[in-house]
Amino acid sequence: MPHLLDITESYLRTSVAAIAHNIDTNPDTLFHALKSLGELGVLALRIPTEWGGKGVSEDTFQSFQELVAKYSGALAFLQTQHQSAAAMLFDSKNTSLKQEYLPRMSSGEVLVGVGFSQLRRSGDPLISATPVDGGYLLEGQVPWVTGWRIFQYFIVAASLSDGRAVFGMLPFGETKQSLGGHINFSEPMQLAAMTSTNTVTATIKDWFLPDDRILSIKPQNWIHENDRKNVLRATGLVLGCASAGLDIIESAAINKSLTFINKAFVSLNNELAQCRTAIREAQQKTNIELSEKLHLRSWAIELAVRIAHAAITVSSGAANYSNHAAQRVYREALVFTVSGQTTALMEATLERLTRSQTVTRKSEHKTITYSQVIHLSHVIDTDIPQWPGDPPLEFEIVAELEKHGYYLRRFSIGEHSATHINAPNSFHATGVGIDRYPAESLIVPAVVIDIRDKVADNFDYTLTINDVKIWEETHGKIPANSIVLLYTGWQEKWVDKNAFFNQDNEGNLHFPAFASETTQFLIAERQIAGVGIDTHGVDCAQDPTFATNRLVLAQSGIVLENLTNLERLPPIGTILVIGLLRLKDGSGSPAAVIALVP
């Protein structure tokens, strides 16, 4: 639901960003921000519409979580508690309880927290449930309940003698029952971050929980099974915190005009995109191992902390102020490190933090030896093949030698016309523009894979993983940080627009390209820097998702299209020098690609 995310981001950007520190420290400010999310109707996103929610997909929910956490960790953390409560209530078989609360939870008319993390603790239960006529008698302490004086109710879990757990709805306030039961709450804990969320300890004494206030009775070890199932669900908050740190680094790169800050931003932005993509893909799989989930969760945690630390670094001495944005983001990254932590996650995070690092010292000087210099870009003229819908290519003489003493033309061209390079923001809302590519990323080794024989019989042929492995049997493994150039022979059709686009009677285009699974293989297994091709697209014309573009540009890699002279390059050993126009926030740029051939 792009509209839902768009209106949420608009609210967060205009009303939350400027007061994020106050939201983090002042419960009243946090409460008003939460109520404003309720006015947008986004506080029960996973609940079906017939129960008052939005019924969004898990992918949309994760995008929402990341979005809120980017602007305020405290707001993200608090609304997550409420969203979790709504999900638990929806799963309940207690229809009357659902009817009483669910329709009012999306709007924030009713705000509900949760208190069941104590089930993760070993040893004697911290809060017990004893069966009595008409319900259960609760006794003990809930060590962590978030939302004191913000939420009206909270869902508590109390352990039965057989190991099962009773989940019931309790009032979130000092309360006494006529029979003597009562609930007391401690003063809000003085936490290092997100103090405004008002986390307290609840002490419950002889509290009667009637059957009509029970959501469910969960089996023994339910919490541990639930944790294993939902390892990746909390990553949206961690990734959002990382995005907030990246915004600080990007701002510093622009304001301080220091190349090394921009380099750090691009590197961390690339890694965040890789981490996000890997997590989203894992969430789509049903058979993924727990170890892989823990690896991805711990990667996100460590990355968020590193990015937050980098945000502190680029903010210099100002980051020492407690109200500085970098300081807040850093503290929030630490909170998300331990949120919903299990023993297995603690182990995975420590393994990530203590893994051995190999540091390679870069040479002070780089030498490139070559015997030939070859243009890989077509000449730009008004009659070149252009993608359907692209703006027309125009030249206009504005100064003449005889009349003005010099010759000058104005030209107009689309950012993706002629031989060109694509930028991440052409396919990713958070991607950088073409002006943000570091200069050193534009001088890169290249390998050439020739598939002309495959294309001769199949104009829609796409490069396979097997093609890559066959190529490697002869030329060796593709070196990391190389661009893979696909030579299809299509460059010969450049002079004939009809042949170049190869449009059939139904208007469909046909030309060879990269298969998406092959691109994924090259990125994951060969750590390539990018791809290039002599057709108008690295993606098959029948792929409306532009999968190869999205995969490569998610890591701010290089995508080159409409190359020429690929027949003059050896399979390995070429160095590319990619010249581009540094168009502010450009989605791409015509490119002057030069090959230095040994």
Side-chain angles (χ1 to χ4, degrees):
M1 289 187 178
H3 180 60
L4 181 149
L5 296 176
D6 287 343
I7 61 174
T8 301
E9 182 166 26
S10 177
Y11 161 69
L12 293 169
R13 188 174 56 252
T14 57
S15 301
V16 169
I19 59 171
H21 174 72
N22 290 336
I23 290 175
D24 204 55
T25 56
N26 188 310
D28 291 335
T29 308
L30 172 58
F31 174 72
H32 289 302
L34 183 66
K35 293 292 283 186
S36 294
L37 284 181
E39 291 172 5
L40 298 179
V42 295
L43 290 182
L45 290 180
R46 291 174 291 172
I47 307 307
T49 54
E50 58 266 29
W51 286 98
K54 296 295 185 183
V56 305
S57 67
E58 182 64 24
D59 188 62
T60 298
F61 180 69
Q62 289 301 318
S63 296
F64 174 85
Q65 292 287 83
E66 183 174 340
L67 192 59
V68 180
K70 177 180 178 179
Y71 289 94
S72 170
L75 180 59
F77 190 75
L78 198 68
Q79 64 85 29
T80 295
Q81 306 289 301
H82 178 78
Q83 302 263 13
S84 297
M88 295 186 73
L89 192 56
F90 174 70
D91 289 337
S92 171
K93 291 183 170 60
N94 189 331
T95 304
S96 62
L97 206 59
K98 291 166 69 171
Q99 291 173 338
E100 182 179 354
Y101 292 110
L102 274 181
R104 298 183 290 158
M105 290 185 73
S106 183
S107 66
E109 180 184 349
V110 171
L111 295 171
V112 184
V114 295
F116 56 82
S117 63
Q118 67 275 3
L119 294 179
R120 296 189 179 97
R121 302 192 182 191
S122 57
D124 293 336
L126 295 183
I127 178 168
S128 62
T130 303
V132 295
D133 289 342
Y136 294 86
L137 207 60
L138 307 187
E139 182 91 20
Q141 276 195 340
V142 183
W144 294 82
V145 192
T146 295
W148 167 248
R149 292 182 176 169
I150 297 176
F151 293 148
Q152 298 129 298
Y153 306 92
F154 72 101
I155 296 172
V156 71
S159 299
L160 291 165
S161 59
D162 60 4
R164 294 179 301 158
V166 177
F167 285 76
M169 187 78 78
L170 299 187
F172 203 165
E174 301 282 349
T175 310
K176 291 184 178 181
Q177 291 180 316
S178 57
L179 296 178
H182 59 86
I183 307 174
N184 296 321
F185 298 91
S186 69
E187 289 296 315
M189 301 175 190
Q190 294 302 303
L191 304 177
M194 307 184 195
T195 55
S196 60
T197 57
N198 280 1
T199 299
V200 298
T201 296
T203 301
I204 301 174
K205 181 70 174 176
D206 295 329
W207 184 266
F208 176 62
L209 178 69
D211 289 335
D212 62 5
R213 306 299 288 175
I214 295 173
L215 278 75
S216 60
I217 299 178
K218 301 291 187 183
Q220 187 175 12
N221 293 323
W222 168 84
I223 188 70
H224 303 297
E225 291 299 322
N226 192 61
D227 285 340
R228 282 191 282 270
K229 177 184 176 182
N230 295 319
V231 168
L232 296 177
R233 179 160 285 173
T235 53
L237 302 180
V238 185
L239 296 176
C241 182
S243 294
L246 273 177
D247 282 352
I248 295 170
I249 299 169
E250 182 178 25
S251 178
I254 295 170
N255 294 332
K256 296 186 178 183
S257 298
L258 295 173
T259 303
F260 60 81
I261 297 181
N262 186 62
K263 182 178 179 181
F265 167 75
V266 171
S267 176
L268 291 169
N269 190 48
N270 289 349
E271 187 178 352
L272 178 59
Q274 292 173 28
C275 184
R276 181 188 294 110
T277 299
I279 287 172
R280 294 294 173 85
E281 289 178 351
Q283 288 173 321
Q284 301 299 319
K285 298 176 181 178
T286 57
N287 58 347
I288 186 170
E289 297 289 335
L290 176 61
S291 60
E292 179 61 18
K293 293 181 182 179
L294 291 169
H295 162 74
L296 292 171
R297 173 85 172 268
S298 62
W299 180 15
I301 287 171
E302 185 236 16
L303 178 57
V305 173
R306 279 197 286 119
I307 289 176
H309 196 173
I312 291 279
T313 302
V314 301
S315 301
S316 304
N320 288 318
Y321 290 107
S322 62
N323 63 349
H324 192 280
Q327 188 67 242
R328 173 182 58 80
V329 170
Y330 186 74
R331 294 195 302 267
E332 290 176 355
L334 299 181
V335 171
F336 290 134
T337 297
V338 296
S339 297
Q341 187 186 66
T342 63
T343 302
L345 180 57
M346 180 192 293
E347 181 181 11
T349 304
L350 287 175
E351 286 179 357
R352 180 88 193 179
L353 293 171
T354 59
R355 72 195 190 282
S356 60
Q357 298 279 359
T358 301
V359 179
T360 303
R361 187 176 184 84
K362 292 187 176 180
S363 171
E364 293 290 332
H365 303 283
K366 295 180 180 178
T367 301
I368 299 175
T369 302
Y370 56 92
S371 61
Q372 285 183 290
V373 181
I374 299 172
H375 278 300
L376 300 189
S377 298
H378 287 284
V379 173
I380 298 176
D381 200 353
T382 55
D383 200 37
I384 64 172
Q386 288 189 276
W387 192 264
D390 276 3
L393 200 159
E394 298 174 338
F395 289 98
E396 178 187 358
I397 297 175
V398 295
E400 300 179 26
L401 189 61
E402 296 80 4
K403 185 176 180 180
H404 302 94
Y406 62 93
Y407 176 57
L408 175 66
R409 293 190 300 179
R410 178 193 65 81
F411 71 93
S412 174
I413 187 172
E415 292 177 324
H416 294 254
S417 293
T419 302
H420 62 275
I421 176 173
N422 298 342
N425 67 356
S426 59
F427 290 98
H428 299 283
T430 59
V432 298
I434 199 66
D435 56 311
R436 301 305 298 277
Y437 272 85
E440 59 266 29
S441 71
L442 301 174
I443 300 178
V444 60
V447 302
V448 180
I449 299 179
D450 185 345
I451 60 167
R452 286 175 297 166
D453 58 334
K454 304 289 181 66
V455 172
D457 298 323
N458 182 3
F459 291 158
D460 293 316
Y461 188 82
T462 53
L463 181 72
T464 67
I465 296 174
N466 190 53
D467 291 334
V468 173
K469 293 184 175 180
I470 291 174
W471 183 93
E472 290 184 327
E473 289 176 2
T474 302
H475 306 290
K477 186 176 178 180
I478 294 174
N481 300 314
S482 296
I483 287 184
V484 176
L485 302 180
L486 193 56
Y487 177 30
T488 73
W490 224 250
Q491 62 187 45
E492 306 300 331
K493 304 176 185 288
W494 182 256
V495 294
D496 184 342
K497 294 179 183 179
N498 292 331
F500 193 75
F501 285 116
N502 197 25
Q503 193 172 34
D504 61 26
N505 293 333
E506 296 179 354
N508 299 312
L509 309 182
H510 299 274
F511 52 78
F514 288 81
S516 60
E517 61 270 19
T518 307
T519 305
Q520 182 64 59
F521 169 81
L522 290 169
I523 293 171
E525 303 298 330
R526 298 298 183 264
Q527 292 81 48
I528 62 168
V531 293
I533 198 167
D534 55 357
T535 72
H536 210 304
V538 294
D539 291 291
C540 172
Q542 279 72 53
D543 178 10
T545 68
F546 300 98
T548 288
N549 262 290
R550 290 183 179 277
L551 287 166
V552 176
L553 295 175
Q555 18 251 310
S556 293
I558 303 290
V559 173
L560 298 170
E561 296 172 328
N562 289 340
L563 294 168
T564 190
N565 289 331
L566 296 186
E567 82 285 358
R568 299 177 62 184
L569 305 185
I572 194 166
T574 296
I575 299 293
L576 299 188
V577 180
I578 305 167
L580 51 79
L581 300 175
R582 300 188 67 193
L583 306 170
K584 177 65 175 174
D585 297 326
S587 69
S589 166
V593 185
I594 292 175
L596 305 179
V597 180

